[in-house]
Amino acid sequence: FISLLSRRSVACASFVAAARALSTSSNTRIMGLQENARLIQSKLLHEPREQVTSSKLEELWNDYHAIAQEMLDVRCYTDAEECFRFSLTQNENNPAVRERLSATLREAGRLLEAAHELYTVIQDIPGPPDVRAWLYLDLGHLLERIAPLPNSGPDWDVDGIAPILTMKGDPSESITAIDCYRRAVDLDPINGEARKRLADALAILENHEEALEEFQIAAKLLPTDICCATHVRYTDPERSMPIPPIIPRPEGSVSTPQLYLQDLCGTIDDTDETAQAFERDGVIVFPSFLSDDECRILATNAQDTLDSMDDDANNDADFTTETRESSHRSHCALSVKRCSTVLDNVCSRLWPVLNKILQADGGSMPLLGWGFMTVDPGAASQELHKDVHHYDRHNDIGILPQSTTHSRTVSIQLQLTDTNFCDSVNKNEVMGSLEVLPGSHRPDASAGQPDVIRNGIEQNIGVVPICVKRGTVTIYSSRLWHRGGANSDSSSAGQPKRSRTFCFMTVTEPNAPAPPGLIHTMTMEDVGKWRVTSQGLRENN
């Protein structure tokens, strides 16, 4: 039972191994699983119970549940659902099976059904409080996916309220994501993940003081958690001034001009024009910024880090599991010191632009993140998203209004692979690249309106691929809607398939709290240690 709840299948080596051994073909494998499921169902339904010992019956159910889990793992959601529902006809009050059914519905995209099933599990489970706490965390995450917290997801309603789930059969019983996280904390006060999840939700809802308290507790319970350490290091609950009111959405249809890559390219020498372009588009591209030697040094460090990950499965610098569409992607933090020569040069050259964009007024800006991603062939395209919750504060160039949770933050992508490589047959760019929706970081811009963002997500309208040569540097607002494209490279026989690799920095404005929602990619030894200055990258005193 606990094994199922913790996502580890029970026993079942015989049937699953047999199904896998049938063929390397996925279709044959699935057919084998389906046939074995039918065989066990037949035994469970038709064999006289007096001829089946309790141990044999338990073995049959273990095998059956493991086959159902295998079907879930290979994304045969209909078959997995059928298996788990059959199990519930025979074991109606088995919360472990119901939890797996909820997971199947969740993976199939039927989120509301999944939430109702999971809530039923929580009500019926006889397990210890810490198990129920983890289930509440799962339910809270589901609720956030069904309807994101205000300003934390697709901003269809910037003045929305936290989603509320009303339970089947009891309209008086309702629950929000915040409720789930609070209940998880009440059930298991030393669950660091529950504290962290509650803190992040509170930060999104701009309850900054309570969020800081929870981040501080979480940081003690999760001493290797980079996100908690970053929020504790960069915070100032007294720093709060109103942000500009969001300009109402215009009536009727919203149109925005189609931009192209050349429209987003800038020059490092004209900081005023570059900063104005960034205010408008939320992205600026600098071609041929890095030298070949700098690209080689960074690529070598990235590969060395990947190689070291193979030797340490629990490496705290590996953020791959937190990445959208993580299959065929690697996402890791890099040591700042090992890359300091390149970083120092990059930061000193970018400082005039960053000084304008982040309103540093000649001062230094905290380095919140430094890492890399490798996108291998077979990686799927991510959905359009933004890395940091809320919108960018949106005055013209000049003094920016300050607020507790709306600190300006930028991502700086350093491209180490040619992403404008085309296949020899169709001449399509197959490597994939960063793709952006220019202007979507501002609620007062036409591209920041819900209709335009929806069109970008659903129909790719207005999305600009940043297909560029190695050495290109792209700065974009962490609140700009963007995604990593698919890598569909299928180089001709005898030629190696191409992965794309890029490094990235995250920099925020001075004296600002860490923004909510960001994956703070950093090694623990580098958290709170570095700042970008006019002289380059420097250690904090």
Side-chain angles (χ1 to χ4, degrees):
F1 163 65
I2 296 299
S3 173
L4 276 172
L5 284 182
S6 57
R7 282 52 167 177
R8 293 187 295 275
S9 302
V10 237
C12 185
S14 56
F15 281 100
V16 174
R20 283 179 172 162
L22 285 173
S23 172
T24 55
S25 163
S26 60
N27 287 337
T28 306
R29 177 184 173 193
I30 291 166
M31 289 171 63
L33 290 169
Q34 291 169 334
E35 179 60 26
N36 284 324
R38 284 193 291 268
L39 287 171
I40 297 178
Q41 276 190 24
S42 179
K43 288 184 178 182
L44 290 168
L45 288 173
H46 303 302
E47 282 196 8
R49 288 302 171 95
E50 62 272 11
Q51 296 180 16
V52 182
T53 65
S54 59
S55 60
K56 179 61 177 176
L57 187 63
E58 181 180 358
E59 180 183 347
L60 285 171
W61 277 119
N62 284 348
D63 288 348
Y64 187 74
H65 290 149
I67 289 172
Q69 180 63 42
E70 182 80 359
M71 288 174 169
L72 174 56
D73 292 342
V74 297
R75 302 185 179 184
C76 290
Y77 303 130
T78 300
D79 291 317
E81 180 185 356
E82 181 181 326
C83 287
F84 289 126
R85 289 198 185 279
F86 169 77
S87 179
L88 286 173
T89 64
Q90 308 297 309
N91 307 275
E92 183 178 1
N93 296 320
N94 189 325
V97 175
R98 196 171 293 281
E99 188 276 340
R100 288 292 79 198
L101 174 60
S102 171
T104 303
L105 295 170
R106 180 190 67 221
E107 294 304 311
R110 293 155 61 185
L111 302 184
L112 191 57
E113 292 176 74
H116 283 300
E117 289 290 349
L118 189 54
Y119 188 78
T120 301
V121 173
I122 296 172
Q123 301 306 104
D124 295 343
I125 187 174
D130 59 329
V131 173
R132 296 185 70 217
W134 281 105
L135 293 174
Y136 268 120
L137 290 183
D138 286 349
L139 181 58
H141 181 64
L142 264 174
L143 288 175
E144 287 197 67
R145 288 180 62 188
I146 292 168
L149 294 169
N151 296 309
S152 66
D155 299 294
W156 313 147
D157 182 4
V158 293
D159 296 317
I161 60 170
I164 298 174
L165 183 67
T166 300
M167 293 304 130
K168 289 180 179 177
D170 186 3
S172 65
E173 176 65 22
S174 61
I175 191 170
T176 67
I178 288 282
D179 293 333
C180 290
Y181 302 146
R182 290 195 187 280
R183 291 184 190 186
V185 168
D186 290 341
L187 285 164
D188 189 6
I190 60 172
N191 185 321
E193 184 63 29
R195 296 282 188 178
K196 175 184 173 182
R197 200 83 65 83
L198 176 59
D200 199 48
L202 289 168
I204 293 169
L205 297 177
E206 302 187 58
N207 188 343
H208 190 65
E209 290 189 7
E210 188 180 358
L212 175 58
E213 292 175 4
E214 292 296 337
F215 273 126
Q216 289 172 335
I217 297 171
K220 293 177 181 178
L221 295 170
L222 303 171
T224 62
D225 189 275
I226 308 299
C227 175
C228 294
T230 302
H231 278 281
V232 171
R233 172 62 179 81
Y234 293 106
T235 185
D236 184 1
E238 300 302 320
R239 183 180 185 273
S240 179
M241 293 176 66
I243 63 170
I246 291 176
I247 297 175
R249 172 184 172 183
E251 295 296 328
S253 62
V254 178
S255 62
T256 186
Q258 173 65 54
L259 298 179
Y260 300 92
L261 176 59
Q262 61 265 31
D263 300 316
L264 305 177
C265 292
T267 170
I268 201 70
D269 299 321
D270 192 337
T271 55
D272 285 341
E273 183 177 340
T274 299
Q276 289 166 4
F278 183 89
E279 287 297 303
R280 180 188 67 239
D281 301 325
V283 57
I284 197 79
V285 180
F286 300 111
S288 304
F289 189 92
L290 301 174
S291 68
D292 286 342
D293 281 345
E294 288 174 326
C295 289
R296 178 183 52 78
I297 290 170
L298 295 179
T300 299
N301 273 281
Q303 187 58 55
D304 288 347
T305 300
L306 271 182
D307 292 342
S308 70
M309 295 293 175
D310 295 336
D311 301 327
D312 184 0
N314 297 315
N315 198 307
D316 294 323
D318 188 353
F319 294 83
T320 303
T321 57
E322 299 185 45
T323 304
R324 292 172 172 84
E325 295 293 343
S326 60
S327 180
H328 300 288
R329 282 181 166 87
S330 299
H331 174 179
C332 306
L334 280 170
S335 165
V336 172
K337 279 194 173 180
R338 289 178 59 184
C339 307
S340 59
T341 302
V342 176
L343 278 176
D344 190 49
N345 183 43
V346 169
C347 290
S348 63
R349 293 174 63 197
L350 288 179
W351 183 85
V353 172
L354 294 175
N355 180 51
K356 282 276 188 180
I357 291 173
L358 297 177
Q359 302 296 310
D361 195 25
S364 61
M365 294 152 279
L367 179 68
L368 294 186
W370 170 239
F372 74 95
M373 288 188 68
T374 296
V375 185
D376 296 323
S381 177
Q382 297 173 330
E383 187 174 83
L384 279 179
H385 63 278
K386 53 186 182 180
D387 292 333
V388 173
H389 300 314
H390 304 103
Y391 281 108
D392 263 5
R393 305 199 309 281
H394 52 278
N395 276 1
D396 294 331
I397 293 293
I399 301 300
L400 288 172
Q402 294 182 333
S403 74
T404 300
T405 57
H406 291 70
S407 51
R408 275 200 164 194
T409 306
V410 297
S411 296
I412 305 169
Q413 188 173 117
L414 290 67
Q415 188 54 246
L416 306 182
T417 311
D418 289 343
T419 61
N420 57 352
F421 169 77
C422 296
D423 66 53
S424 57
V425 179
N426 299 315
K427 305 302 181 184
N428 293 324
E429 291 161 332
V430 295
M431 294 285 292
S433 67
L434 170 69
E435 300 176 5
V436 300
L437 184 61
S440 57
H441 62 313
R442 295 178 63 128
D444 60 329
S446 59
Q449 297 301 319
D451 290 3
V452 177
I453 296 172
R454 273 202 188 99
N455 288 338
I457 291 174
E458 297 170 1
Q459 304 177 49
N460 207 38
I461 296 175
V463 176
V464 180
I466 310 297
C467 293
V468 293
K469 286 188 174 293
R470 178 175 182 248
T472 298
V473 168
T474 303
I475 303 177
Y476 61 95
S477 166
S478 297
R479 294 182 175 91
L480 185 76
W481 287 80
H482 68 282
R483 66 176 170 227
N487 185 345
S488 56
D489 184 27
S490 55
S491 298
S492 57
Q495 297 295 318
K497 293 182 180 181
R498 299 168 181 254
S499 298
R500 80 172 187 266
T501 301
F502 58 90
C503 290
F504 57 90
M505 306 163 60
T506 307
V507 182
T508 194
E509 62 183 289
N511 305 313
L518 186 67
I519 300 176
H520 297 283
T521 306
M522 202 70 148
T523 64
M524 182 60 79
E525 67 179 0
D526 287 327
V527 172
K529 190 174 182 179
W530 302 94
R531 66 189 190 279
V532 178
T533 74
S534 58
Q535 288 79 42
L537 192 65
R538 294 293 182 268
E539 288 193 51
N540 290 321
N541 297 327

